[in-house]
Amino acid sequence: MKKNYLLTPGPTPVPAEVLLSMAHPIIHHRTPEYEEIFAQVKKGLISIFQTQQEVLVLSSSGTGAMEAAVINLLSAGDTALVINGGKFGKRWADICQAYQVNTEMITVEWGQAVDPQTVADALKANPHIKAVFTTHSETSTGVLHDIKTIAGIVAAYPQTVLVVDAITALGATAVPMDDWGLDVVVTGSQKALMMPPGLACIALSEKAWKLTETSQLPKYYLNLKKEKKTQAKNQTAYTPAISLVIALRESLAMIEREGLENVHRRHQLLAEATRAAVQALGLELLAPESPSPALTAVKSPAGIEVSALRGILSKKYGVTIAGGQDHLKGKIFRIAHLGYMGTFDTIIAISALEMALKELGHPLELGTGVKAAQEILTDL
Amino acid sequence: MKKNYLLTPGPTPVPAEVLLSMAHPIIHHRTPEYEEIFAQVKKGLISIFQTQQEVLVLSSSGTGAMEAAVINLLSAGDTALVINGGKFGKRWADICQAYQVNTEMITVEWGQAVDPQTVADALKANPHIKAVFTTHSETSTGVLHDIKTIAGIVAAYPQTVLVVDAITALGATAVPMDDWGLDVVVTGSQKALMMPPGLACIALSEKAWKLTETSQLPKYYLNLKKEKKTQAKNQTAYTPAISLVIALRESLAMIEREGLENVHRRHQLLAEATRAAVQALGLELLAPESPSPALTAVKSPAGIEVSALRGILSKKYGVTIAGGQDHLKGKIFRIAHLGYMGTFDTIIAISALEMALKELGHPLELGTGVKAAQEILTDL
């Protein structure tokens, strides 16, 4: 017997109640029964997005919703400002470039948060910037960017919208779309929503919806105006991933029962415990100054191969954590505390990490990290 | 207690084994375990597509894969020939128009199959046609188009590809991609594959892959060249709908156990039985000359409101069948024999239809249709 523990920042573990809800006999989507389910899903999403806007559900992964944001707001030749501080920040630029949207780039060192002042400077220098694309919680680095401050800056530009990839952030931390004045918020199902991948969600402010009236980029499957019209009637333009929508109703109900603030606090404490633990083990955080509540990126100590570490964790202990991506591959590992995770998921992560590091010859006293985590998690 | 029977041409019923396979604990997709599952899925798909080409899996509904076909093969200003004999044939034109692809249209009366000679004439008249977009089994009318003959015509044009929407056809009837020389075949999960919606599949011939080298239309999430490269390594460019992929492995294994020819024969006999039954009841088929093995479209008899008929079927008998779409709304109803359906699904459909029609005052002798179906289904 080997029990498996998925401690990655997406996909994340799915509660058995949610998994089993997908076994509900398939129903037709053009029925009142489905519309009732979809209405409940929308209600749940609206409360997590903290918005009065319609939250649209797309049958795609989060990247599909990111692309939807670009192609529904902009036209070829428009200029976008992209905050690129990791793999997913860069993805905004890749999408823009695929559609001949000019991109100005604020390049941020991986592990650092963007300085909002650089956004202010860029907007001041180029009044043609139509959209600012950014990441809230950057999954590749474990950084949480200061979206609230950035939103305040962008708000001063009536012709510019702020588009936020909140795929890893939403549900792990507050993303009060309307309060902060975010124009587009995107998420995916396989993160804090405690779902399998396959659905993405997107909400637009009035300012963003106005841009959809002038956008010339071609689109069909990801046409948000069409979806808005259809989803207002609890339908979707094309056949939705029915089982995943049914599952989403279940996971949203779980979030509602826990209470959104409690969900955020749980993520916050798990994150603090994880950071305290790895630091107690003498390890260095990649993003000590602006850490995400969704995941913790840790620099691999000298002499420890990340692949060997992840191999022991996975093969011997059944614990799956993430490695680094792109140029951080082999240099960091990433431990998630995201979605359906609680005190003992973090204890498992840290204790397995200790045992694997020790086996690889890294000097540490077993239990040191666990103790540091426990001291924080008694408050959860 | 009311038992429910989903007899629509997509979504179709999903076997309990497949539903329950989605309750498998979520696994990470960047792992050997997932790659092994994906490899099995690819193997199963290749045998149903009857091709030596890679069959790509997309996390989207079938429409996403249709769009992928257009945007990966063509450029703005290209000319496409669209065979429009129903709602889904028309969708090809809608997608082309969204991308400024010029479309020539062969409009076929709903319920009729396209005359392949009109395709030959159109290609002869306009040597600039780069792609012919067609539907194999048109879900809105229950027509099966003669794709084999059309493929033979298109094959004579080395600069022109044939793109086939086989969303409802694949698995219900033979779609021997390589033998017939089809250049692109598209399907969706929620039809003969006995799956929930949320996945789409697409395969391209060498001739079609060559077009992807020159295509200028913008794309990102639905970039097939990128997917081909990634899926060759049993991965996907973006996070896949993992639970649905696991379920697809299960349903493909069921198809393999039954044997593809037996699956096709089952669809054929269920279709024949359904047609014989409704004709025995004095009802008229919409597509008597070229009926699809996936569904049967029936003209509603004079004086019978389709909405009333479907209402009784659904509310009193728990039987969901489809109505007509677009201008056929209120004029026809559609009974599926598609995917996870056998003898007694057809018996249920016909017997419920008889009881509902009788209740609505339509003159018939109960059991007449059932008898006609039984006589054919003894051979299944």
Side-chain angles (χ1 to χ4, degrees), chain A residues 76-155:
Chain A
D78 279 351
T79 299
L81 177 65
V82 171
I83 298 171
N84 173 1
K87 183 180 174 72
F88 296 95
K90 181 174 179 301
R91 183 160 294 176
W92 283 124
D94 293 342
I95 298 172
C96 286
Q97 282 153 18
Y99 284 90
Q100 300 187 299
V101 169
N102 303 318
T103 51
E104 290 203 9
M105 188 101 88
I106 296 177
T107 303
V108 182
E109 197 187 332
W110 288 38
Q112 303 289 313
V114 65
D115 176 359
Q117 187 56 45
T118 61
V119 179
D121 294 345
L123 288 172
K124 206 169 171 186
N126 187 344
H128 298 297
I129 292 168
K130 213 162 176 177
V132 178
F133 291 96
T134 185
T135 320
H136 196 175
S137 167
E138 171 59 59
T139 316
S140 64
T141 63
V143 164
L144 191 75
H145 292 285
D146 181 0
I147 296 301
K148 186 182 180 180
T149 302
I150 295 169
I153 292 163
V154 178

Side-chain angles (χ1 to χ4, degrees), chain A residues 220-241:
Chain A
Y220 191 81
Y221 183 63
L222 298 171
N223 185 324
L224 295 181
K225 275 170 72 177
K226 191 166 182 180
E227 286 300 338
K228 185 189 188 190
K229 207 174 142 188
T230 322
Q231 297 196 17
K233 295 178 282 186
N234 296 320
Q235 282 294 341
T236 45
Y238 311 107
T239 310

